[in-house]
């Protein structure tokens, strides 16, 4: 690759600070590697005094491999490492920490539970039933966030506990770490800062050790890491940072793109260079993504241009898939050709939206609206199949892993090979889906005690497990057991009648009746604190911390989404046996996907395949916007572009909205040749609206 003028300026930078603003596909890794080579060959810098820091092991490994390849595989003792690796090396050398000093995930949960014990007993009464594994993980993430931003938690508003409770938990948690001489990963940067501030001799030692500092993905740095880097670069100020504030998407971990602007204040003499040419994406993709990100206020002004030739035109832009295949079972017919074909047409189907309409003049950006999630998933799956048949790499990128469930199911129905890049949660394993399944199994497969125990008080029926001694449940025996309680007779009579009705219904109708007719949805709302239970006033509920109420609302939303998913899947099957087989097949497929991922990674490492070469393998990838960072594909699909999904409904303020826009921008700019954007309109009961981001890209929804 021949360096352009902007890259040459960055490469030839010698001493002093420099900020390199590198847009998507602008060759930032190439530029960083070439700069290291330039320092060694032209300025005769000692390679052992050059430190290159990035955020992931994969990025550090890739940069190291590219550097040694550029140096004809000759060894040069340049240090390539992550923030965690570099900081731990410093702490291990200067403070005599070792591997056993690092807090393990199991220990972290134990320390948190010990910290919770310091709270008053009333805390447990108020939070009974809420402190599950997800709740603990959320609280631990908040503790890590506070450490990364380098501020005291006094004014922090937790989603799970009150301010006073969070402060008490945080102090107790850190006290335990100090007593046991343990380090959380989020403590590394703060510990290095403490070492440098309290021990000038050690600071001078490490400043001599690393004369040149290069930081990759600088937009993802947090306050604690930035402070440590500033101290480390010392008076020489040879700090070369590369990043793009438009791709800052890790605010939940404490990163802040404002640090890039602060860098210019802290280093006013810094040279500022802008890499503005995108060599990855076609002009239409670059232009459309630019319209979107230009809506952000807090950013460096910049104009990205496409460096890719426009001669590679897409020939068939309007693809209407084969007839929808929703009736096809997960265990249905197997094709000898695993990827189905489609037919090219510009004619829209009768249903709302099944044709892709161009958004960019070069036809590289296509948009389509659908009636519901199933129609969207089936159409996108068919288009993915066609893309793979053409030998193109492709990925579907989602806001969250849960949003990918519909598409994963549609791909599996069509035997289209796919790989979930991040280990997903099995949607069938959620408590809600397990509750609904237990109802169906109890009604249709025999009165088993284990099923009844799960559902008997969902909603509350005041039933006690002490009254269930037998392996199978008899309603007549239950009525005898509660003979002295007339009100229970009515409850049992109603439950028996409902169970009898379920046994005669098809699966979809049965699930609907459980949710609406038997009060399961109402119980979910009550359990989440959205409706006052017996003896509880609305006023009492409102006394709960705002963050706790938000957490409860989020849990209810996830529960209702899980119920919707299970109900829609039930529509596809004629019997409970078919549904159970499909659930087993789904779990097996997920296990196979993860095994394939491990095998592919092992093969890649063994064969030396890296980067873009990996993406040419004939398999579709499902990945989140966060997980897509640093990847690229011929074709990218961004389904679920609806308000409440992107931007996420929790994005209430301007800062949160701008980060959501940056995430969408990152997803868009992973595409090299084709970008597909889609959304659903929903139903009268649950209407959906196209994301405002589509309008910002220039999309105007056609009239039906």
């Amino acid at each position: 690759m021949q360096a352009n003028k902007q890259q040459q300026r960055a490469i030839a930078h010698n001493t002093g600070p420099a900020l390199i603003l590198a847009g998507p596909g602008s060759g930032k890794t190439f530029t960083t590697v070439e700069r290291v080579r330039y320092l060694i060959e032209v300025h005769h810098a000692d390679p052992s005094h050059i430190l290159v820091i990035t955020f992931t092991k994969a990025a550090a490994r890739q940069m190291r491999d590219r550097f040694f390849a550029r140096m004809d595989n000759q060894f040069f003792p340049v240090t390539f490492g992550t923030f965690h690796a570099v900081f731990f090396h410093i702490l291990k050398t200067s403070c005599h920490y070792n591997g056993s000093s690092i807090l393990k995930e199991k220990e972290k949960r134990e320390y948190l539970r010990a910290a919770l014990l310091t709270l008053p007993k009333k805390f447990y009464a108020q939070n009974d039933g809420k402190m599950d594994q997800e709740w603990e993980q959320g609280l631990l993430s908040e503790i890590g966030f506070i450490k990364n931003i380098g501020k005291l938690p006094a004014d922090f508003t937790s989603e799970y506990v009150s301010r006073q409770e969070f402060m008490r938990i945080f102090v107790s948690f850190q006290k335990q770490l100090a007593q046991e001489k343990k380090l959380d990963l989020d403590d590394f940067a703060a510990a290095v800062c403490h070492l440098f501030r309290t021990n000038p001799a050690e600071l001078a030692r490490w400043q001599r050790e690393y004369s040149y500092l290069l930081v990759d993905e600088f937009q993802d740095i947090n306050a604690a890491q930035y402070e440590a880097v500033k101290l480390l670069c010392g008076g020489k100020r040879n700090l070369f940072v590369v990043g793009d504030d438009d791709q800052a998407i890790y605010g939940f971990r404490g990163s802040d793109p404002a640090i890039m602007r602060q860098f210019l204040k802290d280093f006013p003499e810094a040279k500022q260079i802008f890499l503005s040419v995108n060599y990855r994406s076609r002009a239409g993709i670059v232009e459309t993504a630019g319209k979107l990100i230009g809506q952000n206020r807090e950013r460096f002004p910049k104009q990205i241009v496409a460096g890719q030739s426009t001669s590679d035109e897409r020939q068939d832009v309007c693809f209407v898939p084969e007839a929808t295949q929703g009736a096809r079972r997960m265990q249905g017919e197997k094709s000898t050709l695993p990827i189905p074909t489609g037919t090219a047409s510009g004619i829209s189907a009768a249903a709302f939206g099944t044709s892709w309409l161009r958004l960019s003049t070069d036809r590289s950006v296509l948009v389509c609206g659908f009636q519901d999630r199933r129609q969207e998933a089936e159409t996108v799956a068919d288009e993915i199949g066609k893309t793979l048949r053409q030998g193109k790499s492709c990925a579907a990128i989602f806001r969250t892993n849960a949003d990918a469930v519909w598409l994963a199911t549609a791909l599996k129905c069509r035997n289209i090979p796919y790989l979930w890049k991040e280990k997903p949660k099995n949607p069938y394993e959620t408590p809600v889906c397990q509750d609904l399944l237990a109802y169906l199994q109890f009604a249709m497969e025999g009165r088993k005690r284990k099923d009844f125990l799960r559902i008997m008080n969902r909603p509350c029926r005041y039933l006690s497990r002490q009254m269930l001694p037998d392996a199978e449940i008899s309603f007549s025996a239950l009525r005898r057991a509660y003979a002295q309680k007339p009100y229970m007779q009515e409850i049992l009579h109603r439950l028996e009648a409902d169970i009898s009705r379920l046994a005669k219904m098809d699966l979809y109708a049965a699930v609907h009746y459980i949710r609406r007719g038997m009060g399961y949805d109402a119980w979910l709302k009550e359990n989440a604190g959205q409706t006052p239970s017996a003896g509880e006033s609305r006023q009492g509920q409102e006394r709960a911390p705002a963050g706790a109420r938000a957490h409860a609302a989020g849990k209810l939303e996830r529960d209702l989404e899980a119920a919707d998913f299970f109900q829609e899947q039930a529509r596809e099957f004629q019997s409970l046996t078919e549904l159970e087989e499909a659930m087993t097949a789904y779990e097996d497929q997920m296990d196979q996907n993860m095994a394939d991922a491990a095998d592919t990674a092992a093969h890649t490492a063994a064969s030396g395949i890296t980067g873009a070469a990996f993406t040419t393998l004939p398999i579709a990838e499902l990945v989140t916007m966060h997980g897509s960072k640093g990847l690229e594909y011929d074709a990218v699909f961004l389904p679920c572009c609806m308000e409440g999904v992107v931007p996420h409904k929790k994005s209430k303020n301007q800062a949160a909205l701008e980060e959501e826009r940056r995430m969408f921008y990152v997803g868009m700019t992973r595409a090299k040749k084709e970008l597909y954007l889609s959304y659903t309109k929903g139903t009268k009961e649950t209407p959906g609206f196209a994301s405002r981001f589509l309008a910002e890209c220039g999309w105007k929804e056609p009239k039906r």
Side-chain angles (χ1 to χ4, degrees):
M1 177 178 175
Q2 185 68 37
N4 62 33
K5 291 183 178 179
Q6 297 163 331
Q7 292 170 335
Q8 289 173 3
R9 286 183 61 207
I11 293 168
H13 177 72
N14 183 15
T15 59
L19 172 63
I20 314 301
L21 286 167
S26 60
K28 65 179 182 63
T29 302
F30 164 79
T31 302
T32 304
V33 168
E34 286 299 300
R35 167 157 166 77
V36 175
R37 182 192 65 81
Y38 193 88
L39 286 173
I40 296 171
E41 294 185 349
V42 178
H43 292 290
H44 307 293
D46 187 339
S48 65
H49 291 176
I50 300 174
L51 171 63
V52 183
I53 309 177
T54 188
F55 280 85
T56 66
K57 291 180 181 179
R61 190 183 306 112
Q62 182 191 41
M63 198 168 292
R64 183 187 64 236
D65 293 345
R66 289 181 65 170
F67 169 72
F68 284 121
R70 188 70 178 87
M71 305 302 286
D72 298 324
N73 292 318
Q74 297 181 53
F75 176 74
F76 291 88
V78 178
T79 301
F80 295 88
T82 64
F83 275 101
H84 284 148
V86 171
F87 288 168
F88 186 64
H89 173 66
I90 293 172
L91 294 171
K92 184 169 61 175
T93 305
S94 297
C95 304
H96 308 294
Y97 284 103
N98 53 47
S100 62
S101 305
I102 300 176
L103 194 65
K104 297 179 176 60
E105 194 64 30
K106 184 179 179 181
E107 293 175 319
K108 190 182 294 187
R109 291 186 180 277
E110 291 173 353
Y111 283 24
L112 175 63
R113 290 162 187 168
L116 291 171
L117 291 175
T118 65
L119 299 177
K121 290 183 179 180
K122 67 177 183 179
F123 171 82
Y124 292 91
Q126 294 171 349
N127 292 276
D128 183 41
K130 297 178 182 178
M131 295 186 292
D132 55 10
Q133 191 171 3
E134 183 182 350
W135 186 91
E136 289 179 348
Q137 187 57 54
L139 198 52
L140 286 170
S141 296
E142 290 183 340
I143 291 173
F145 175 82
I146 289 296
K147 294 178 182 180
N148 288 328
I149 64 175
K151 295 181 180 178
L152 293 174
D155 297 327
F156 178 71
T157 301
S158 170
E159 287 192 17
Y160 306 93
V161 294
S162 69
R163 288 184 180 181
Q164 295 80 2
E165 290 166 346
F166 184 82
M167 184 68 178
R168 194 164 178 174
I169 292 169
F170 182 88
V171 170
S172 176
F173 186 87
Q174 291 300 101
K175 187 177 180 180
Q176 293 178 80
L177 289 179
Q179 290 174 343
E180 298 295 330
K181 295 183 179 180
K182 293 280 189 176
L183 279 175
D184 190 2
L185 289 176
D186 296 317
D187 291 316
F188 283 12
V192 168
C193 289
H194 179 75
L195 169 68
F196 288 167
R197 292 193 187 106
T198 58
N199 196 328
E202 285 298 311
L203 173 59
R205 169 191 177 182
W206 290 106
Q207 288 174 343
R208 291 192 300 272
E209 183 76 16
Y210 300 122
S211 302
Y212 294 89
L213 272 70
L214 296 88
V215 181
D216 187 30
E217 302 288 2
F218 188 66
Q219 75 280 348
D220 294 330
I221 201 168
N222 61 50
Q225 292 167 339
Y226 179 53
E227 187 63 26
V229 167
K230 282 196 300 180
L231 290 167
L232 188 57
C233 76
K236 294 180 180 179
R237 300 168 75 86
N238 292 331
L239 181 56
F240 183 94
V241 301
V242 185
D244 181 11
D245 58 323
D246 289 336
Q247 299 186 70
I249 61 174
Y250 296 109
F252 67 93
R253 292 197 313 220
S255 62
D256 186 357
I259 292 176
M260 296 189 72
R261 296 187 291 274
Q262 183 62 41
F263 176 87
L264 295 178
K265 296 178 181 178
D266 295 335
F267 301 88
E269 76 277 25
K271 184 183 291 186
Q272 188 175 341
I273 302 170
F274 178 35
L275 307 185
S276 60
V277 182
N278 183 330
Y279 294 101
R280 175 188 301 149
S281 306
R282 292 176 61 188
I285 298 171
V286 174
E287 181 183 355
T288 304
K291 290 179 182 178
L292 171 80
I293 202 62
Q295 301 296 318
N296 276 2
R297 301 173 188 172
E298 299 295 328
R299 60 187 293 264
F300 285 94
K302 58 180 83 75
Q303 183 68 42
I304 306 292
V305 298
Q308 191 179 122
S309 172
T310 58
S311 60
D312 183 20
E313 292 290 336
R314 177 180 166 92
Q315 299 300 315
D316 49 334
V317 294
C318 291
F319 171 68
V320 179
E322 300 174 291
T324 56
Q325 304 177 43
R328 191 184 287 180
R329 305 287 180 264
M330 293 184 189
Q331 67 274 20
E333 70 253 16
K334 302 248 184 204
S335 172
T336 55
L337 291 174
I339 304 171
T341 59
T343 54
S345 173
I347 302 173
S348 298
F352 175 72
T354 52
S355 64
W356 297 95
L357 305 176
R358 74 181 186 186
L359 181 58
S360 63
T361 55
D362 65 354
R363 304 173 180 178
S364 60
V365 184
L366 305 173
V367 185
C368 191
F370 299 93
Q371 192 61 53
D372 53 38
R373 287 280 186 100
R374 174 184 284 106
Q375 188 187 52
E376 179 186 43
E378 290 174 348
T379 306
V380 170
D382 287 332
E383 184 71 12
I384 286 175
K386 183 185 177 204
T387 302
L388 293 177
R389 283 188 68 86
Q390 295 171 346
K392 299 175 182 176
S393 61
C394 73
I397 301 177
F398 297 88
R399 175 64 176 82
T400 68
N401 243 339
D403 296 325
V405 169
W406 288 96
L407 180 59
T409 303
L411 291 169
K412 181 158 56 62
C413 287
R414 290 153 174 76
N415 297 313
I416 297 175
Y418 71 93
L419 180 66
W420 226 324
K421 293 283 287 185
E422 303 164 59
K423 184 170 178 61
K425 294 181 180 179
N426 187 340
Y428 290 112
E429 292 297 324
T430 61
V432 169
C433 289
Q434 290 296 302
D435 288 348
L436 296 173
L437 178 64
Y439 264 112
L440 296 178
Q441 290 174 329
F442 185 76
M444 300 176 182
E445 292 186 341
R447 306 293 196 259
K448 297 178 182 177
R449 183 176 185 271
K450 68 176 182 65
D451 296 327
F452 192 74
L453 284 172
R454 185 171 191 99
I455 65 172
M456 65 183 187
N457 286 315
R458 300 183 180 189
C460 182
R461 300 184 179 94
Y462 309 101
L463 293 168
S464 170
R465 61 176 59 221
Q466 295 178 351
M467 302 295 186
L468 310 172
D470 302 323
E472 292 193 3
I473 302 301
S474 166
F475 280 100
S476 58
L478 276 174
R479 281 192 290 271
R480 288 194 299 271
Y482 287 99
Q484 304 303 315
K485 298 180 179 180
Y487 68 93
M488 291 297 298
Q489 300 298 315
E490 177 60 27
I491 291 174
L492 290 169
H493 175 77
R494 191 183 309 122
L495 178 58
E496 184 177 18
D498 286 338
I499 295 296
S500 298
R501 289 192 188 97
L502 292 179
K504 301 173 184 177
M505 295 178 178
D506 64 61
L507 296 181
Y508 180 86
V511 176
H512 182 84
Y513 186 75
I514 295 166
R515 298 179 64 187
R516 307 298 197 278
M518 299 178 68
Y520 184 78
D521 279 12
W523 174 80
L524 287 176
K525 294 175 182 178
E526 181 179 320
N527 197 50
Q530 298 302 297
T531 58
S533 58
E536 182 182 11
S537 67
R538 175 64 68 180
Q539 184 180 3
Q541 287 183 323
E542 292 175 352
R543 290 198 192 103
R549 294 199 302 272
H551 173 66
K555 183 179 184 303
L556 174 62
E557 180 187 358
R558 292 190 295 272
D559 287 345
L560 292 176
E561 286 179 352
D564 289 342
F565 170 79
F566 189 87
Q567 187 172 345
E568 285 300 313
Q569 297 309 305
R571 189 197 297 270
E572 302 294 324
F573 303 99
Q574 300 297 324
S575 69
L576 182 57
T577 301
E578 287 185 1
L579 175 60
E580 291 169 336
E581 290 175 353
M583 291 170 63
T584 302
Y586 195 98
E587 180 67 33
D588 292 342
Q589 181 66 49
M590 288 179 43
D591 292 341
Q592 186 61 49
N593 285 340
M594 300 313 297
D596 291 344
D599 291 344
T600 301
H603 171 72
T604 299
S607 61
I609 300 174
T610 59
F614 170 76
T615 64
T616 62
L617 297 174
I619 188 169
E621 296 183 7
L622 308 184
V623 61
T624 63
M625 292 177 183
H626 287 109
S628 71
K629 190 79 173 292
L631 304 177
E632 60 181 39
Y633 308 88
D634 292 327
V636 165
F637 296 81
L638 285 174
C640 307
C641 298
M642 291 88 69
E643 285 291 311
V645 180
V646 287
H648 197 276
K649 64 184 70 177
K650 291 184 178 180
S651 307
K652 304 292 186 183
N653 55 49
Q654 185 64 27
L657 182 61
E658 292 203 354
E659 177 148 336
E660 290 288 313
R661 191 175 284 114
R662 291 195 295 268
M663 278 194 285
F664 199 71
Y665 177 76
V666 166
M668 294 176 71
T669 54
R670 302 308 95 195
K672 295 193 293 185
K673 299 178 180 178
E674 296 154 17
L675 174 63
Y676 298 81
L677 309 171
S678 61
Y679 61 98
T680 60
K681 295 292 290 183
T683 62
K684 290 182 179 179
E685 292 78 16
T686 56
F689 302 93
S691 170
R692 73 191 75 179
F693 293 164
L694 295 182
E696 293 172 359
C697 289
W699 171 249
K700 294 182 180 179
E701 187 176 319
K703 295 182 179 179
R704 303 195 198 186

